[in-house]
Amino acid sequence: MAEAYFPVGPGLGMEENFLSLDDILMSQEKLPGRAESALPRLAVLLGQGGGSAESVPEGSKLEIPLWLAKGLHDSKRRIISVELPKIYKEAWRTVFSADANVVDLHKMGPYYYGFGSQLLNFEHPENPEIAQTILQARGGSVLPVNDPVCSPQTFIARFRRIMDSSQNSYNEDTSALVARLDELERALFQVGQKGLNDFQCWEKGQASQITASSLVQNYGKRKLTEVDG
Protein backbone atom coordinates (compact mmCIF):
# COMPACT_ATOMS: atom_id res chain seq x y z
CA MET A 1 0.00 0.00 0.00
CA ALA A 2 1.32 3.43 -0.92
CA GLU A 3 2.28 5.72 1.92
CA ALA A 4 0.22 8.82 2.57
CA TYR A 5 1.50 11.92 0.78
CA PHE A 6 3.32 14.46 2.89
CA PRO A 7 3.88 17.99 1.51
CA VAL A 8 7.54 18.66 0.79
CA GLY A 9 8.97 21.45 2.90
CA PRO A 10 11.09 24.32 1.60
CA GLY A 11 14.86 24.03 1.36
CA LEU A 12 15.50 26.79 3.93
CA GLY A 13 19.01 27.36 2.66
CA MET A 14 20.96 28.74 -0.28
CA GLU A 15 19.56 26.08 -2.61
CA GLU A 16 15.89 25.52 -3.34
CA ASN A 17 14.12 22.19 -3.04
CA PHE A 18 12.41 21.89 -6.41
CA LEU A 19 10.06 19.24 -5.04
CA SER A 20 8.64 21.92 -2.75
CA LEU A 21 5.72 24.00 -3.98
CA ASP A 22 6.77 26.81 -1.63
CA ASP A 23 10.25 26.93 -3.15
CA ILE A 24 8.85 26.91 -6.68
CA LEU A 25 6.66 29.89 -5.84
CA MET A 26 9.52 31.62 -4.04
CA SER A 27 11.77 31.28 -7.10
CA GLN A 28 9.29 33.46 -9.02
CA GLU A 29 9.87 36.40 -6.65
CA LYS A 30 11.71 39.21 -8.42
CA LEU A 31 14.98 40.98 -7.67
CA PRO A 32 15.94 44.48 -8.80
CA GLY A 33 18.98 44.42 -11.03
CA ARG A 34 20.84 45.81 -14.01
CA ALA A 35 22.03 44.32 -17.30
CA GLU A 36 25.83 44.58 -17.33
CA SER A 37 25.90 43.39 -20.94
CA ALA A 38 23.33 42.97 -23.70
CA LEU A 39 21.01 40.00 -23.10
CA PRO A 40 20.03 38.42 -26.44
CA ARG A 41 16.39 37.34 -26.91
CA LEU A 42 15.42 38.02 -23.28
CA ALA A 43 13.43 41.25 -23.75
CA VAL A 44 10.01 39.58 -23.54
CA LEU A 45 10.97 37.31 -20.64
CA LEU A 46 12.25 40.27 -18.61
CA GLY A 47 9.29 42.49 -19.39
CA GLN A 48 11.23 44.83 -21.65
CA GLY A 49 8.68 44.57 -24.49
CA GLY A 50 9.46 43.81 -28.10
CA GLY A 51 9.44 40.51 -29.90
CA SER A 52 10.89 37.21 -28.81
CA ALA A 53 14.10 37.88 -30.79
CA GLU A 54 14.86 41.29 -29.22
CA SER A 55 17.69 41.82 -26.76
CA VAL A 56 17.87 43.72 -23.48
CA PRO A 57 20.34 46.62 -23.95
CA GLU A 58 23.34 46.92 -21.65
CA GLY A 59 22.62 49.15 -18.67
CA SER A 60 18.88 48.40 -18.57
CA LYS A 61 17.22 48.28 -15.16
CA LEU A 62 15.54 44.92 -14.57
CA GLU A 63 13.13 43.07 -12.33
CA ILE A 64 14.49 39.52 -12.53
CA PRO A 65 12.84 36.35 -11.20
CA LEU A 66 15.09 34.67 -8.64
CA TRP A 67 15.50 31.49 -10.70
CA LEU A 68 16.69 33.46 -13.73
CA ALA A 69 18.90 35.79 -11.69
CA LYS A 70 20.73 32.76 -10.24
CA GLY A 71 21.18 31.36 -13.72
CA LEU A 72 22.53 34.60 -15.20
CA HIS A 73 24.66 35.71 -12.25
CA ASP A 74 28.35 35.22 -12.95
CA SER A 75 30.89 37.34 -11.08
CA LYS A 76 33.54 36.82 -13.77
CA ARG A 77 31.49 37.58 -16.87
CA ARG A 78 29.36 40.36 -15.30
CA ILE A 79 26.16 39.46 -17.18
CA ILE A 80 23.85 41.06 -14.60
CA SER A 81 24.18 42.76 -11.24
CA VAL A 82 21.62 42.26 -8.50
CA GLU A 83 20.48 44.78 -5.87
CA LEU A 84 18.99 44.07 -2.46
CA PRO A 85 15.22 44.40 -2.14
CA LYS A 86 14.45 47.20 0.30
CA ILE A 87 13.12 44.85 3.01
CA TYR A 88 16.67 43.41 3.45
CA LYS A 89 18.50 46.76 3.56
CA GLU A 90 19.90 48.39 6.68
CA ALA A 91 16.96 50.78 7.14
CA TRP A 92 14.52 47.89 7.48
CA ARG A 93 16.90 45.89 9.65
CA THR A 94 16.83 48.86 12.03
CA VAL A 95 13.01 48.76 12.06
CA PHE A 96 13.11 45.05 12.87
CA SER A 97 15.57 45.74 15.69
CA ALA A 98 13.19 48.29 17.22
CA ASP A 99 10.10 46.06 17.11
CA ALA A 100 9.99 43.08 14.76
CA ASN A 101 6.35 42.35 15.51
CA VAL A 102 5.06 45.51 13.85
CA VAL A 103 6.27 44.48 10.39
CA ASP A 104 3.81 42.93 7.93
CA LEU A 105 6.17 40.35 6.44
CA HIS A 106 3.55 38.85 4.17
CA LYS A 107 2.95 42.21 2.51
CA MET A 108 6.67 42.88 2.13
CA GLY A 109 7.41 39.40 0.83
CA PRO A 110 5.55 36.16 1.55
CA TYR A 111 8.79 34.15 1.54
CA TYR A 112 10.93 36.52 3.58
CA TYR A 113 13.19 33.95 5.25
CA GLY A 114 13.66 31.62 2.29
CA PHE A 115 14.17 34.45 -0.19
CA GLY A 116 16.66 36.14 2.13
CA SER A 117 18.69 32.93 2.32
CA GLN A 118 18.75 32.81 -1.49
CA LEU A 119 20.23 36.32 -1.61
CA LEU A 120 23.44 34.89 -0.17
CA ASN A 121 24.11 33.38 -3.60
CA PHE A 122 24.88 36.87 -4.90
CA GLU A 123 27.99 38.81 -3.98
CA HIS A 124 26.99 41.81 -1.88
CA PRO A 125 28.80 43.66 0.92
CA GLU A 126 25.76 43.34 3.21
CA ASN A 127 25.61 39.54 2.92
CA PRO A 128 27.05 38.98 6.43
CA GLU A 129 24.32 41.16 7.95
CA ILE A 130 21.62 39.40 5.92
CA ALA A 131 22.96 36.01 7.02
CA GLN A 132 22.98 37.15 10.63
CA THR A 133 19.38 38.31 10.42
CA ILE A 134 17.98 35.34 8.47
CA LEU A 135 19.93 32.35 9.76
CA GLN A 136 19.92 33.36 13.41
CA ALA A 137 16.14 33.40 13.16
CA ARG A 138 16.35 29.62 12.75
CA GLY A 139 18.68 29.14 15.70
CA GLY A 140 21.95 28.99 13.77
CA SER A 141 25.16 30.78 14.70
CA VAL A 142 26.79 32.71 11.89
CA LEU A 143 28.33 35.89 13.28
CA PRO A 144 28.86 37.60 16.65
CA VAL A 145 25.59 38.97 17.95
CA ASN A 146 26.78 42.26 19.47
CA ASP A 147 25.47 44.39 16.58
CA PRO A 148 22.06 45.82 17.62
CA VAL A 149 21.01 46.28 14.00
CA CYS A 150 21.44 42.57 13.30
CA SER A 151 20.37 41.18 16.64
CA PRO A 152 18.97 37.65 16.26
CA GLN A 153 16.52 38.46 19.06
CA THR A 154 14.54 40.44 16.50
CA PHE A 155 13.17 37.38 14.71
CA ILE A 156 13.32 35.05 17.66
CA ALA A 157 10.78 37.42 19.21
CA ARG A 158 8.49 36.94 16.20
CA PHE A 159 8.65 33.15 16.49
CA ARG A 160 7.98 33.29 20.21
CA ARG A 161 4.89 35.41 19.64
CA ILE A 162 3.69 33.12 16.85
CA MET A 163 3.86 30.03 19.03
CA ASP A 164 2.28 31.83 21.99
CA SER A 165 -0.59 32.95 19.75
CA SER A 166 -1.08 29.48 18.30
CA GLN A 167 -1.37 28.00 21.81
CA ASN A 168 -3.89 30.60 22.99
CA SER A 169 -6.41 30.68 20.15
CA TYR A 170 -8.32 27.41 20.53
CA ASN A 171 -11.51 27.36 18.39
CA GLU A 172 -11.01 31.01 17.43
CA ASP A 173 -10.82 32.84 14.12
CA THR A 174 -7.07 33.14 13.51
CA SER A 175 -7.17 34.92 10.14
CA ALA A 176 -6.14 38.25 11.69
CA LEU A 177 -3.28 36.59 13.58
CA VAL A 178 -1.68 35.04 10.49
CA ALA A 179 -2.33 37.87 8.01
CA ARG A 180 1.03 39.54 8.74
CA LEU A 181 3.14 36.36 8.74
CA ASP A 182 5.34 35.06 5.96
CA GLU A 183 4.74 31.52 4.67
CA LEU A 184 7.29 29.89 6.98
CA GLU A 185 5.76 31.61 9.99
CA ARG A 186 2.27 30.54 8.88
CA ALA A 187 3.47 26.94 8.72
CA LEU A 188 4.83 27.22 12.28
CA PHE A 189 1.54 28.68 13.44
CA GLN A 190 -0.37 25.78 11.87
CA VAL A 191 1.93 23.26 13.58
CA GLY A 192 1.27 24.93 16.92
CA GLN A 193 -2.49 24.96 16.29
CA LYS A 194 -2.55 21.29 15.34
CA GLY A 195 -0.58 20.36 18.45
CA LEU A 196 -3.00 22.31 20.62
CA ASN A 197 -6.07 20.76 18.97
CA ASP A 198 -4.63 17.25 19.26
CA PHE A 199 -3.91 17.80 22.96
CA GLN A 200 -7.41 19.15 23.59
CA CYS A 201 -8.94 16.09 21.90
CA TRP A 202 -6.74 13.76 23.96
CA GLU A 203 -7.58 15.61 27.19
CA LYS A 204 -11.31 15.23 26.46
CA GLY A 205 -10.91 11.50 25.76
CA GLN A 206 -11.59 11.95 22.07
CA ALA A 207 -8.22 10.49 21.07
CA SER A 208 -6.62 7.31 22.34
CA GLN A 209 -3.09 8.64 22.32
CA ILE A 210 -0.95 11.65 21.46
CA THR A 211 1.02 11.06 18.26
CA ALA A 212 4.11 12.79 16.94
CA SER A 213 3.51 15.59 14.45
CA SER A 214 4.06 14.96 10.74
CA LEU A 215 7.07 17.30 10.85
CA VAL A 216 8.76 15.11 13.46
CA GLN A 217 7.85 11.93 11.56
CA ASN A 218 9.20 13.29 8.28
CA TYR A 219 12.39 14.45 9.98
CA GLY A 220 12.90 10.97 11.41
CA LYS A 221 12.39 9.39 7.98
CA ARG A 222 14.97 11.72 6.43
CA LYS A 223 17.52 10.90 9.13
CA LEU A 224 17.01 7.18 8.57
CA THR A 225 17.47 7.65 4.84
CA GLU A 226 20.73 9.50 5.44
CA VAL A 227 21.98 6.69 7.72
CA ASP A 228 21.00 3.99 5.22
CA GLY A 229 22.62 5.95 2.39
CSV table of all heavy atoms in Angstrom, one decimal, residues 168-193:
chain,number,residue,atom,x,y,z
A,168,ASN,N,-2.9,29.9,22.2
A,168,ASN,CA,-3.9,30.6,23.0
A,168,ASN,C,-5.0,31.1,22.1
A,168,ASN,O,-5.7,32.1,22.4
A,168,ASN,CB,-3.3,31.8,23.7
A,168,ASN,CG,-2.3,31.4,24.8
A,168,ASN,OD1,-2.8,31.1,25.9
A,168,ASN,ND2,-1.0,31.5,24.5
A,169,SER,N,-5.3,30.3,21.1
A,169,SER,CA,-6.4,30.7,20.2
A,169,SER,C,-7.2,29.4,19.8
A,169,SER,O,-7.5,29.2,18.6
A,169,SER,CB,-5.8,31.4,18.9
A,169,SER,OG,-4.9,30.6,18.3
A,170,TYR,N,-7.6,28.6,20.8
A,170,TYR,CA,-8.3,27.4,20.5
A,170,TYR,C,-9.7,27.7,20.1
A,170,TYR,O,-10.5,28.5,20.7
A,170,TYR,CB,-8.3,26.6,21.8
A,170,TYR,CG,-9.0,25.2,21.6
A,170,TYR,CD1,-8.4,24.3,20.8
A,170,TYR,CD2,-10.1,24.9,22.3
A,170,TYR,CE1,-9.0,23.0,20.6
A,170,TYR,CE2,-10.7,23.6,22.2
A,170,TYR,CZ,-10.2,22.7,21.3
A,170,TYR,OH,-10.7,21.5,21.1
A,171,ASN,N,-10.2,27.2,19.0
A,171,ASN,CA,-11.5,27.4,18.4
A,171,ASN,C,-11.8,28.8,18.1
A,171,ASN,O,-12.9,29.3,18.4
A,171,ASN,CB,-12.6,26.8,19.3
A,171,ASN,CG,-12.6,25.2,19.2
A,171,ASN,OD1,-12.2,24.7,18.2
A,171,ASN,ND2,-13.1,24.6,20.2
A,172,GLU,N,-10.8,29.6,17.7
A,172,GLU,CA,-11.0,31.0,17.4
A,172,GLU,C,-10.7,31.3,16.0
A,172,GLU,O,-10.0,30.5,15.3
A,172,GLU,CB,-10.1,31.9,18.3
A,172,GLU,CG,-10.4,31.8,19.8
A,172,GLU,CD,-9.5,32.7,20.6
A,172,GLU,OE1,-8.8,33.5,20.0
A,172,GLU,OE2,-9.5,32.5,21.9
A,173,ASP,N,-11.2,32.4,15.5
A,173,ASP,CA,-10.8,32.8,14.1
A,173,ASP,C,-9.4,33.4,14.2
A,173,ASP,O,-9.1,34.4,14.8
A,173,ASP,CB,-11.8,33.9,13.7
A,173,ASP,CG,-11.5,34.4,12.2
A,173,ASP,OD1,-10.6,33.9,11.6
A,173,ASP,OD2,-12.2,35.4,11.8
A,174,THR,N,-8.5,32.7,13.5
A,174,THR,CA,-7.1,33.1,13.5
A,174,THR,C,-6.6,33.9,12.3
A,174,THR,O,-5.4,34.2,12.1
A,174,THR,CB,-6.2,31.9,13.7
A,174,THR,OG1,-6.4,31.0,12.5
A,174,THR,CG2,-6.5,31.1,14.9
A,175,SER,N,-7.6,34.3,11.4
A,175,SER,CA,-7.2,34.9,10.1
A,175,SER,C,-6.4,36.2,10.4
A,175,SER,O,-5.4,36.5,9.7
A,175,SER,CB,-8.4,35.2,9.3
A,175,SER,OG,-9.4,36.0,10.0
A,176,ALA,N,-6.8,37.0,11.4
A,176,ALA,CA,-6.1,38.3,11.7
A,176,ALA,C,-4.7,38.0,12.2
A,176,ALA,O,-3.8,38.8,12.0
A,176,ALA,CB,-7.0,39.1,12.7
A,177,LEU,N,-4.6,36.9,13.0
A,177,LEU,CA,-3.3,36.6,13.6
A,177,LEU,C,-2.2,36.2,12.5
A,177,LEU,O,-1.1,36.6,12.7
A,177,LEU,CB,-3.4,35.4,14.6
A,177,LEU,CG,-4.2,35.7,15.9
A,177,LEU,CD1,-4.4,34.4,16.6
A,177,LEU,CD2,-3.5,36.7,16.7
A,178,VAL,N,-2.6,35.5,11.5
A,178,VAL,CA,-1.7,35.0,10.5
A,178,VAL,C,-1.5,36.0,9.3
A,178,VAL,O,-0.6,35.7,8.5
A,178,VAL,CB,-2.1,33.6,10.0
A,178,VAL,CG1,-2.1,32.7,11.2
A,178,VAL,CG2,-3.4,33.7,9.2
A,179,ALA,N,-2.3,37.0,9.2
A,179,ALA,CA,-2.3,37.9,8.0
A,179,ALA,C,-1.0,38.5,7.8
A,179,ALA,O,-0.6,38.8,6.6
A,179,ALA,CB,-3.4,38.9,8.1
A,180,ARG,N,-0.2,38.8,8.9
A,180,ARG,CA,1.0,39.5,8.7
A,180,ARG,C,2.2,38.6,8.7
A,180,ARG,O,3.4,39.1,8.8
A,180,ARG,CB,1.1,40.5,9.9
A,180,ARG,CG,0.0,41.6,9.9
A,180,ARG,CD,0.0,42.3,11.3
A,180,ARG,NE,1.2,43.1,11.5
A,180,ARG,CZ,1.3,44.4,11.1
A,180,ARG,NH1,0.4,44.9,10.4
A,180,ARG,NH2,2.4,45.0,11.3
A,181,LEU,N,2.0,37.3,8.7
A,181,LEU,CA,3.1,36.4,8.7
A,181,LEU,C,3.6,35.9,7.3
A,181,LEU,O,2.8,35.9,6.4
A,181,LEU,CB,2.7,35.1,9.5
A,181,LEU,CG,2.1,35.3,10.9
A,181,LEU,CD1,1.8,34.0,11.5
A,181,LEU,CD2,3.1,36.1,11.8
A,182,ASP,N,4.9,35.6,7.2
A,182,ASP,CA,5.3,35.1,6.0
A,182,ASP,C,5.0,33.6,5.9
A,182,ASP,O,4.4,33.0,6.9
A,182,ASP,CB,6.8,35.3,5.8
A,182,ASP,CG,7.7,34.1,6.1
A,182,ASP,OD1,7.5,33.5,7.1
A,182,ASP,OD2,8.7,33.9,5.3
A,183,GLU,N,5.2,32.9,4.8
A,183,GLU,CA,4.7,31.5,4.7
A,183,GLU,C,5.4,30.6,5.7
A,183,GLU,O,4.7,29.6,6.2
A,183,GLU,CB,5.0,31.0,3.2
A,183,GLU,CG,4.2,31.8,2.2
A,183,GLU,CD,2.7,31.6,2.4
A,183,GLU,OE1,2.2,30.5,2.8
A,183,GLU,OE2,1.9,32.6,2.2
A,184,LEU,N,6.6,30.7,6.0
A,184,LEU,CA,7.3,29.9,7.0
A,184,LEU,C,6.7,30.1,8.3
A,184,LEU,O,6.4,29.1,9.1
A,184,LEU,CB,8.8,30.2,7.0
A,184,LEU,CG,9.6,29.5,8.1
A,184,LEU,CD1,9.5,27.9,7.9
A,184,LEU,CD2,11.0,29.9,8.1
A,185,GLU,N,6.4,31.3,8.7
A,185,GLU,CA,5.8,31.6,10.0
A,185,GLU,C,4.3,31.1,10.0
A,185,GLU,O,3.9,30.6,11.1
A,185,GLU,CB,5.7,33.1,10.2
A,185,GLU,CG,7.1,33.7,10.4
A,185,GLU,CD,7.1,35.2,10.6
A,185,GLU,OE1,6.2,35.9,10.0
A,185,GLU,OE2,8.0,35.8,11.2
A,186,ARG,N,3.6,31.1,8.9
A,186,ARG,CA,2.3,30.5,8.9
A,186,ARG,C,2.3,29.0,9.1
A,186,ARG,O,1.5,28.5,9.8
A,186,ARG,CB,1.6,30.9,7.5
A,186,ARG,CG,1.2,32.3,7.4
A,186,ARG,CD,0.5,32.6,6.1
A,186,ARG,NE,0.1,34.0,6.0
A,186,ARG,CZ,-0.7,34.5,5.1
A,186,ARG,NH1,-1.2,33.7,4.2
A,186,ARG,NH2,-1.0,35.8,5.1
A,187,ALA,N,3.3,28.4,8.5
A,187,ALA,CA,3.5,26.9,8.7
A,187,ALA,C,3.7,26.6,10.2
A,187,ALA,O,3.2,25.7,10.7
A,187,ALA,CB,4.6,26.4,7.8
A,188,LEU,N,4.6,27.4,10.8
A,188,LEU,CA,4.8,27.2,12.3
A,188,LEU,C,3.6,27.4,13.1
A,188,LEU,O,3.3,26.7,14.0
A,188,LEU,CB,5.9,28.2,12.7
A,188,LEU,CG,7.3,27.9,12.3
A,188,LEU,CD1,8.2,29.1,12.7
A,188,LEU,CD2,7.9,26.6,12.8
A,189,PHE,N,2.8,28.4,12.7
A,189,PHE,CA,1.5,28.7,13.4
A,189,PHE,C,0.6,27.5,13.3
A,189,PHE,O,0.0,27.1,14.3
A,189,PHE,CB,0.9,29.9,12.9
A,189,PHE,CG,-0.4,30.4,13.6
A,189,PHE,CD1,-0.3,31.2,14.7
A,189,PHE,CD2,-1.6,29.9,13.3
A,189,PHE,CE1,-1.4,31.6,15.4
A,189,PHE,CE2,-2.7,30.3,14.0
A,189,PHE,CZ,-2.6,31.2,15.0
A,190,GLN,N,0.5,26.9,12.1
A,190,GLN,CA,-0.4,25.8,11.9
A,190,GLN,C,0.1,24.6,12.7
A,190,GLN,O,-0.7,23.8,13.2
A,190,GLN,CB,-0.4,25.5,10.4
A,190,GLN,CG,-1.1,26.5,9.6
A,190,GLN,CD,-1.0,26.3,8.1
A,190,GLN,OE1,-0.4,25.3,7.6
A,190,GLN,NE2,-1.6,27.2,7.3
A,191,VAL,N,1.4,24.4,12.8
A,191,VAL,CA,1.9,23.3,13.6
A,191,VAL,C,1.5,23.4,15.0
A,191,VAL,O,1.1,22.5,15.7
A,191,VAL,CB,3.5,23.2,13.4
A,191,VAL,CG1,4.0,22.2,14.5
A,191,VAL,CG2,3.9,22.7,12.0
A,192,GLY,N,1.7,24.7,15.5
A,192,GLY,CA,1.3,24.9,16.9
A,192,GLY,C,-0.2,24.7,17.1
A,192,GLY,O,-0.6,24.2,18.2
A,193,GLN,N,-1.1,25.1,16.2
A,193,GLN,CA,-2.5,25.0,16.3
A,193,GLN,C,-2.9,23.5,16.3
A,193,GLN,O,-3.7,23.0,17.1
A,193,GLN,CB,-3.2,25.7,15.1
A,193,GLN,CG,-3.3,27.2,15.3
A,193,GLN,CD,-4.6,27.5,16.0
A,193,GLN,OE1,-5.7,27.5,15.3
A,193,GLN,NE2,-4.6,27.8,17.2
